[in-house]
Amino acid sequence: MSNNIIYALESIDSSKGFNGRADICVSEGQLSARFNGDEDSYLLRFELPEKYLAAGVQARLYLEGWQELHYAAVGYTEAPHYRHIKASNMRQGAWIEFGFTHQDVIWKLQNGMAAQGDAEIGDIRLFIKGRPSALGATLRISGLAVLRESKFSATALPRQPLDKRLLETLYGYLRKGFRDYESSAKAFMDTGKCPMPGGKLLDWPPAGLKPDALESVNTFRFAWHGLHPVINLLLSAEQTGAVAPVFAARALVDNWLDQSYYVPDEDAKFTWYDHGTAERLLAFILMWAKAVVFGLDERFMQRLGEAILSHARLLHSEAFYAYHQPDRYHNHAWFQDAALAAVALALPSYGESSQWLANAISRFEDQLDKLIVRDGGFAIFVENSIGYHHGVQRLAELVGALVELSGKPTEIPAVAKELIAWSDFLRYPDGRVPAQGDTFRLPARTGAEIRRGIAWSHPGCTVLPKAGYAVVKGNHDGKPWMLCLFNTSLSKTHKHEDNLSITFWFDGIEWLIDPSFYSHEYAEVTSSYLRSAKAHNVIVSDAAGYSIEPGRAQLTDISSGNIYGVVATSLCVEGLEMRRSVSYRADDSALGFQDAVLPLDGEAPAAARLNYVFGENVCCETQKTGFVLSHPDSIYRLAFDFDGEVSVTSLKTCAGLGFMQACEVGGAVVSCGESNHLGWKLSLQGDSGQREVRRSSKEHGISTSASKLGKVLLIGSCVTRDALSLIECEEIKYYARTGLISLASPPVLLDENLFNFEGVGNFERRMILSDFDKRAVKDINCGDFDVVILDFIDERFDVSEVSGGGFVTRSNYLIQSGLLSALDERVHKRFTLDETWEHACINLLGKLRARNYPVILHKAWWAESFYNHDAGVVQRFASDQLAVVQKYNKLLARYYDVVERNYPGLMVVEVSRDLLFSDYAHKWGRDYFHYGVGYYKELAEKICRLL
């Protein structure tokens, strides 16, 4: 209940004052009203013991048994009117605090934005628009209250720095969602134009209150009111330490408050859009944190603080939950819960924060129960889009991290890990994903940019019947291929006409593609086409109509032994069953398909046609019994062979590439007269005239796809350098015992005579000197390398801050040299440097990206076992040693994640876990990361395959 209570009924021991057409009973301090019948509206009224001059009412209620629940309302009588708010997406099966005051945004949204004072309140009315189930429905009440107005007092908010862990969590989450924040912030600072999704820059004249053309695209309206430009600027300021973007962000916040908060905005929908309001609150939180640090003026603090509190109450309100959605269970509600949890942790001493946090956790757990299907060890978002899956995965990670900060027990982090597992699994070997449903599609790589991948270590077929996905992974000629079959039917949100659709990736090329989407303006011509069956690799029919309603598709795993198979059926077209089966032998390079259109009403079979959509630059050669695909960047061909003669019609079509972006691609339609059945085979073929020349090293047993590597820059350790010794390279520049924090700092210039150490070899001396003068950075900026390889095994050392403000790596080489005795150093322990290291890493990656270097990340780990040469077996380390290993591997995992999130086109190589053991007979001696010979052989082979 609110703290601003004029009257409260907190423990109900009598039905006195209650009336309504319901069976009413009272027990254990609660009132239960049971409703039956076929009416579509039901009322329960409580007459107050007297009338109160007040500003609102509140009820604590519990709904269950409603077969249909269009909305619930709470309010009071002001004859002849019913003054109320209503919740269209009310939750059943949980206790809800449901109420308002006249100051609340939700009241204004539903009753007009004009200010309203106190009213004379003599009753509390609860109204339900819905239909009870056959067994009846119940409304339970455990408390009622009449409320006075409570002004938002931002003065009471403490001007103290926010929890550093909270800010790291929020910035980390937003960096993943706003990947272009650097360029967006720079564009605004340099040009004054307002950055919008899709790389668009809107003109914003100096006298303009808002950017030009803002109303032309709904996504622009959403981004503007979601304060995306503010988020971009604050992300940039946090990364670079620059002050100017903070003050630019402050100006944008002030502008929005003046235009849209203190006065009603004409664009009411997007001003208070459910998703956008949540993202705006995150922007406010980050702005508050900066404002506290910079000591901004009190007027701005009060304005911003008031907005934060009013937004938090709005997101807390049951009436605003998934406000613009037809159903409660929608990804927009996830954003609301995440922002509500964030503001609760940002303002832990505020009186309502504990309620906000508890509500956010409860609602989010309910969302997971309804919108996540757990199948085969994965957690999968049901809204038919891997792009939206990635988005809600980040939200689940965010909420899980926030809840862990609060210390509340929850399953949310565990579900987040399973969501990540699916994201990783449904990913092509080159890092891209099939653009299923409303998922943006990345442009195809060409030429030297193509990443052909590493052979799957565990090929096979994974069928997830509950979720509606089948993924077949295999290898051909030492290269991986991947087939995806989509037959999802748990939700119609973001759903396309794509039941039974497939995609196929091989040799770095997506040969059969999902066409992505164009925009959320679904009636627009291109958007409508890309959502249609004609734009997908599916069975098509002349029958009219296509339903995307849930429950119309089924998937069955028919695998047995080394023969994999799946059968998919769809009832998406009225009166027809579409069926597609796929089979594959583990020892074969061909996939078998059987496609059919089966009538359900006994009529004559409908003719089947197959639609195919090809990736960019894929060429199609038609034949009597099928067609053959080729690509200028591949030595392979894909043959589509049908059981008999067919008609193949080539066509030109389009595919989405990003927001309101599309490109031309090819396609084909295959038919066989009036036949309702088509059997066909997809096989991979190599062109012997163009086959790669493979070099085999008899000495080391390593086969590579190139005669030699070019110029290599290695910033890492011996774990990678030892593998490169097995490969013929034109040149290797190698920097060891130098950490990224050191490389991000200015050179530490000392008299070179200080580097004439006794008892230290030339290599050790060279590495110490290069760490001090940062010559690896000079090589990055001035060199011409064919590839840069990173590994972080040497990121185990502490960091020394020396006089003058520079940083150096406190390596064993440096300690042994005795040089530190001549320096005034301050030691920073490795495990206290996560944020500093992340900034340093992003700095380095920016330098590499500026030079357009291909980058390989070698994900090396400390071994948990060692090879016992005496016993001839691999054994686990003792528990105390394992604790050390696991501690450093957690650190490495965090480091690797930073790189993978921040370097587009990154190539990643990781050696099989069965080769990850320490070899005590290693030439460099014993250590957790001195592996057996097999490790380096596999690493060398995988590096060569990537290049």
Side-chain angles (χ1 to χ4, degrees), residues 249-268:
R250 178 243 168 92
L252 289 177
V253 170
D254 258 335
N255 179 70
W256 188 89
L257 292 174
D258 287 336
Q259 310 267 345
S260 306
Y261 181 72
Y262 288 110
V263 297
D265 194 302
E266 291 181 359
D267 189 5

Side-chain angles (χ1 to χ4, degrees), residues 22 58 74 148 171 230 366 376 422 435 477 542 602 606 623 654 689 715 738 820 844 878 902:
Q58 185 165 289
V74 61
R148 68 169 57 90
Y171 277 118
V230 172
D366 182 48
W422 178 244
D477 204 18
D542 291 330
Q623 300 177 343
C654 69
I715 301 174
T738 186
L820 289 174
L844 178 75
N902 288 284

Side-chain angles (χ1 to χ4, degrees), residues 20-178:
R21 286 177 293 178
D23 296 326
I24 297 175
C25 65
V26 176
S27 175
E28 297 180 352
Q30 298 176 12
L31 180 139
S32 177
R34 188 159 186 81
F35 301 95
N36 294 279
D38 295 327
E39 299 178 20
D40 65 352
S41 60
Y42 299 86
L43 173 68
L44 186 68
R45 177 177 177 270
F46 176 68
E47 185 175 352
L48 294 167
E50 59 180 285
K51 291 186 177 181
Y52 299 93
L53 193 63
V57 297
Q58 185 165 289
R60 189 168 191 268
L61 56 83
Y62 187 106
L63 295 172
E64 61 182 342
W66 295 88
Q67 184 171 323
E68 296 177 4
L69 183 57
H70 300 297
Y71 67 82
V74 61
Y76 58 87
T77 303
E78 188 177 60
H81 304 292
Y82 175 37
R83 304 299 188 190
H84 66 280
I85 63 167
K86 64 182 182 182
S88 298
N89 290 319
M90 198 76 172
R91 182 178 179 183
Q92 295 196 61
W95 285 103
I96 302 294
E97 299 282 355
F98 187 31
F100 63 89
T101 70
H102 297 150
Q103 182 192 13
D104 290 342
V105 175
I106 189 61
W107 168 266
K108 294 178 180 180
L109 289 176
Q110 296 189 9
N111 292 275
M113 300 301 287
Q116 180 174 334
D118 288 347
E120 195 173 65
I121 297 178
D123 67 358
I124 298 175
R125 294 172 60 184
L126 295 166
F127 181 85
I128 298 173
K129 182 77 170 177
R131 187 160 62 90
S133 67
L135 298 177
T138 302
L139 164 62
R140 291 155 58 190
I141 300 172
S142 65
L144 296 169
V146 180
L147 308 176
R148 68 169 57 90
E149 197 64 87
S150 172
K151 297 294 183 183
F152 297 116
S153 178
T155 306
L157 297 180
R159 277 39 169 187
Q160 297 174 351
L162 270 58
D163 186 328
K164 182 180 179 181
R165 299 171 302 161
L166 171 63
L167 291 176
E168 288 175 350
T169 299
L170 294 179
Y171 277 118
Y173 161 75
L174 290 169
R175 284 191 197 102
K176 294 178 182 178
F178 292 77

